[in-house]
Amino acid sequence: MIQSDEHGLFTIQQVADMTGLSKQVIRKWEERYGIIQPKRLENGYRIYSQQDVKTLLKVKLLSEQGHSLKQAALLVKEADEDPEIPMPKGKLPNYEQWNEYVFQLFEKGRHCDEIELNIILRQAYHHIGLERFLSDIVVPFLKEVGRKWENHEWDEYQESVSSLVVRDFLVQIRRNYQYRENAPFVLGACLPNEHHEVPLHLILLRFMMKGWKTQLIGASPAPGAIESLVCKLKPDVVLLSATTAIPFETDPQLLRRLDQFAEKQDDIAFYLGGQGAVTYPPEYKPRAIRVTNSIEDIFK
C-alpha cells in the first residue's frame, strides 16, 4: 500500500480502502455524475485529493440515507459551491475536519495492519500534540469505525483491531506522562459488564493534561473490585462509566450498592457518566454519585 505524497494525493486503491467503494464504483461516479475530477499522472493513473475522498464519502452516506445517487451528488456539489446551503439532516460526520492522518488510519484499519496503524498514530501524536491528537484524530476515527461496524461495512475483526490499537496507544501515553508528586488523583472505572473502556481513557487523558494523576480499572471489573480499589488507593475523584444500560439491567441493585458505598467516602467525589448512565431511567436516584456527561462539571 502506497502512502500519499507530500500533497496529500491518493491512488484509487487507497481511496477504495478509505471509502469502502470499489474502484469500479469510484470511476463510475466520476464519469456519470462528475462529482470529482481526479488528476492524472503521466502514465494515465488517477490520483485523488483529500477533498475528493470527502466528496465520495458524503455522496455515499447520503445515498445510504435514502437519496438517489443523482440527488446525493447534486446536494454535495451545491453545498461545496455554496457553504451557506445546509446539508440534509441526519447523522452526517463532519468529513471536512478529517485530515490525512484520519484517512490513512482508515486505509490501514481496513487491512487490519497493526504496525502501520501504530506508526500513523505516533506520527500524528508527535506532529500535532496531545489535545489535537485526541480531538482531531482519535475521536473522529473511532466514531467512524463504530459507524462502519454498525452498518456492516467493516467486520468485527477490522473494528476490534482498529479500536484495540488506539486503546493500547492511549494507554502508552498515560503511562509515560509525567505528573507532580502532589498531583490530585482520579480513578476511572468501567462498571461490571461494561466493556467499552476507550471513552474513559479519553477522559482520563484530559485530566492528565490538567495535571492530574490517573489510573484506570479495566473493562468489566469483578463485583466488589471498584469498592476494594477505592479503599486501597484513596483517589480524590472516582469516575464510573457505562456506555450502555447493560450493567444496570444485569444487576438492578448495582447503582444502589455503589451509591451507598460512595456515601461512606467523605473525601472522595464520585461521578457516573456515559450514554447508558444518562439515558437509563433507574428507579433508584443516587445521592452521593453525581450523574453527568460533562467533564466540565467535574472540573468546576
Side-chain angles (χ1 to χ4, degrees), residues 229-247:
L229 279 172
V230 169
C231 292
K232 180 179 180 179
L233 299 175
K234 300 296 183 182
D236 298 286
V237 171
V238 175
L239 302 180
L240 305 171
S241 175
T243 62
T244 71
I246 293 175

Side-chain angles (χ1 to χ4, degrees), residues 108-119:
K108 308 308 179 185
R110 184 175 186 275
H111 293 277
C112 302
D113 193 330
E114 295 185 35
I115 294 176
E116 287 296 325
L117 283 169
N118 268 298
I119 290 173

Side-chain angles (χ1 to χ4, degrees), residues 90-106:
K91 295 182 178 179
L92 190 65
N94 192 353
Y95 293 125
E96 293 304 325
Q97 291 186 351
W98 288 12
N99 55 43
E100 185 177 352
Y101 292 119
V102 177
F103 289 123
Q104 289 181 355
L105 287 172
F106 285 123

Side-chain angles (χ1 to χ4, degrees), residues 177-180 183-187 204 206-214 235-237 298-299:
Y177 213 83
Q178 301 295 315
Y179 56 85
R180 304 187 315 273
F185 175 29
V186 56
L187 176 67
L204 291 178
R206 290 191 62 186
F207 269 87
M208 193 180 66
M209 287 187 285
K210 290 182 176 290
W212 287 63
K213 174 185 175 182
T214 67
D236 298 286
V237 171
I298 305 172
F299 287 135

